[in-house]
């Protein structure tokens, strides 16, 4: 019988509750490929079904996710000298770090809940650039709050149909990622055209 | 490089756009209720545990353990899929199917009989759920 990752994590979440949720979100935000959004949506449904307590679950989820983000930032920070030695001379690297300086806050905020697939790379880039940790923490906390209450709220609202919410948000995230890639490529192409 | 990113972006938009529309249609028609209806066994999944299914369908836990033929000791945190692997490795989906059958039978036995319905033999042979 094939077992998906969510089939391993969900029984642990339903049995051991919020501490397990916090641990999974921490590991996911730090870089492990765990289905964080699915777990947050499921938690919302479990709260409505009376299995979990919402204030405790929300607080632990936020703490775990923000701590995981900070670990990702720390990894990026410690890899900075290596990245600068390796890529520092290239114009692409300099353009990327400058662009992050300008739009980093939006990137940190939006990748917490809208383009979640890009959250871990953004944490690493933020840590390895000149972006301040305090600003990172503020925008990560804001974004994770939208994620926990928005996704968890949808899980709460749909209750026993939470899996449909998870499927829709996962597909929608893929669509937004595709659009972001196209917009990014278009902006890069226009910038190249202006230079020429 | 730029061309590859554009192609990847277009592919993601097409694939996930189509899937998002389809999943939104399903979601829009979904009822917003906390618990599944009694006997709505298609909502039971392999990741669920026996205590979770029991609470979800308001069924005594002991009844489900009895029906799947497994002792609850040391197994309460295990999913139906894990229980199958551990106790019935030769039969795929075995515990899941046993639980589905047990839930359906329980809901049929515990629902109030219709006025024109003959009494069901041996009903009920387990505690009735709390209202």
């Amino acid at each position: 019988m094939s077992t998906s990752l969510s089939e391993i994590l969900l029984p642990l979440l339903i049995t051991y509750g919020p501490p397990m949720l916090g641990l999974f979100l921490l590991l996911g935000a730090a870089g492990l490929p765990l289905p964080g959004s699915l777990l947050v949506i499921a938690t919302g449904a479990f709260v409505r079904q009376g299995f979990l307590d919402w204030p405790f679950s929300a607080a632990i989820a936020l703490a775990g996710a923000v701590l995981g983000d900070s670990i990702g930032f720390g990894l990026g920070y410690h890899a900075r000298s290596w990245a600068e030695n390796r890529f520092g001379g290239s114009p692409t690297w300099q353009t990327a770090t400058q662009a992050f300086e300008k739009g980093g806050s939006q990137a940190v905020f939006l990748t917490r809940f809208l383009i979640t697939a890009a959250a871990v790379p953004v944490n690493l880039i933020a840590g390895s650039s000149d972006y301040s940790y305090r600003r990172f923490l503020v925008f990560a906390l804001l974004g994770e709050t939208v994620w926990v209450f928005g996704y968890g709220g949808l899980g709460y609202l749909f209750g026993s149909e939470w899996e449909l919410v998870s499927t829709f948000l996962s597909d929608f995230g893929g669509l937004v990622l595709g659009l972001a890639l196209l917009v990014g490529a278009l902006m890069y192409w226009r910038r190249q055209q202006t230079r020429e | 490089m730029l061309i590859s990113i554009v192609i990847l972006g277009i592919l993601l938009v097409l694939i996930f756009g189509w899937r998002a529309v389809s999943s939104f249609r399903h979601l829009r028609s979904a009822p917003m209720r906390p618990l599944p209806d009694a006997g709505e066994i298609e909502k039971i999944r392999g990741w669920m545990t026996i205590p979770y299914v029991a609470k979800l369908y308001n069924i005594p836990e002991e009844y489900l353990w009895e029906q799947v033929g497994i002792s609850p000791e040391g197994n309460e945190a295990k999913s139906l899929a894990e229980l199958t692997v551990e106790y019935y490795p030769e039969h795929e989906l075995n515990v899941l199917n046993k639980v589905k059958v047990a839930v359906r039978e329980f809901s049929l036995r515990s629902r109030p009989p219709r006025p024109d319905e003959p009494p069901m033999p041996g009903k009920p042979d387990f505690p009735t759920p709390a209202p």
Side-chain angles (χ1 to χ4, degrees):
Chain A
M1 178 187 283
S2 64
T3 309
S4 70
L5 194 55
S6 56
E7 282 183 346
I8 298 168
L9 304 181
L10 285 168
L12 294 171
L13 172 61
I14 201 69
T15 307
Y16 302 108
M20 206 46 83
L21 174 69
L23 177 69
F24 293 150
L25 296 189
L26 184 152
L27 295 173
L32 287 187
L34 301 182
S37 294
L38 180 138
L39 293 171
V40 171
I41 296 163
T43 299
F46 297 157
V47 165
R48 186 162 181 204
Q49 289 167 347
F51 291 96
L52 302 177
D53 167 59
W54 86 260
F56 187 43
S57 301
I60 292 277
L62 268 178
V66 173
L67 197 58
D69 289 335
S70 300
I71 291 172
F73 184 95
L75 288 173
Y77 183 79
H78 288 291
R80 183 180 177 162
S81 55
W82 173 83
E84 275 178 353
N85 287 338
R86 178 81 173 76
F87 308 108
S90 81
T92 312
W93 172 262
Q94 284 166 0
T95 311
T97 48
Q98 280 165 10
F100 198 83
E101 270 300 296
K102 279 186 195 165
S105 304
Q106 292 97 308
V108 171
F109 178 68
L110 292 175
T111 52
R112 301 310 101 174
F113 63 93
L114 197 58
I115 319 169
T116 50
V120 172
V122 165
N123 294 346
L124 292 170
I125 295 168
S128 61
S129 67
D130 289 330
Y131 196 76
S132 88
Y133 176 65
R134 194 176 291 180
R135 248 164 76 195
F136 174 82
L137 198 59
V138 168
F139 285 98
L141 185 61
L142 285 173
E144 299 294 15
T145 305
V146 175
W147 186 52
V148 167
F149 286 95
Y151 282 42
L154 282 171
Y156 182 90
L157 211 64
F158 281 88
S160 66
E161 306 289 339
W162 68 267
E163 284 161 301
L164 291 176
V165 179
S166 175
T167 308
F168 168 68
L169 289 175
S170 164
D171 294 338
F172 186 69
L175 172 67
V176 174
L177 179 64
L179 288 171
L181 281 179
L182 287 177
V183 169
L186 182 70
M187 285 168 69
Y188 182 77
W189 179 75
R190 283 184 66 178
R191 194 172 295 163
Q192 294 291 97
Q193 293 292 307
T194 316
R195 274 188 199 162
E196 280 170 19
Chain B
M1 177 70 175
L2 194 64
I3 302 268
S4 319
I5 291 174
V6 170
I7 291 170
L8 181 64
I10 291 171
L11 280 176
L12 286 175
V13 167
L14 289 177
I15 294 167
F16 285 103
W18 180 79
R19 285 177 54 164
V21 169
S22 165
S23 51
F24 180 72
R25 280 189 188 144
H26 282 111
L27 188 62
R28 207 172 48 171
S29 58
M32 291 182 185
R33 57 186 177 185
L35 301 169
D37 289 336
E40 199 184 3
I41 56 168
E42 65 275 14
K43 291 272 177 282
I44 303 174
R45 299 279 187 269
W47 61 262
M48 293 180 176
T49 62
I50 296 251
Y52 178 71
V53 176
K55 282 181 193 162
L56 205 59
Y57 289 91
N58 202 14
I59 293 177
E61 215 180 294
E62 316 84 64
Y63 167 72
L64 287 181
W65 287 114
E66 198 180 295
Q67 293 301 304
V68 297
I70 297 172
S71 161
E73 277 174 45
N75 291 320
E76 291 188 325
K78 290 177 185 164
S79 68
L80 303 181
E82 282 175 281
L83 291 173
T84 296
V85 170
E86 198 170 326
Y87 292 95
Y88 302 100
E90 71 283 7
H91 300 294
E92 198 164 319
L93 302 177
N94 195 295
V95 173
L96 180 61
N97 282 342
K98 280 174 186 245
V99 167
K100 282 183 176 180
V101 169
V103 170
R104 187 169 52 202
E105 282 186 358
F106 188 91
S107 70
L108 284 174
R109 284 169 177 268
S110 58
R111 73 173 163 78
R114 288 193 296 269
D116 58 334
E117 194 176 43
M120 199 181 245
K123 177 192 175 181
D125 57 356
F126 38 74
T128 44

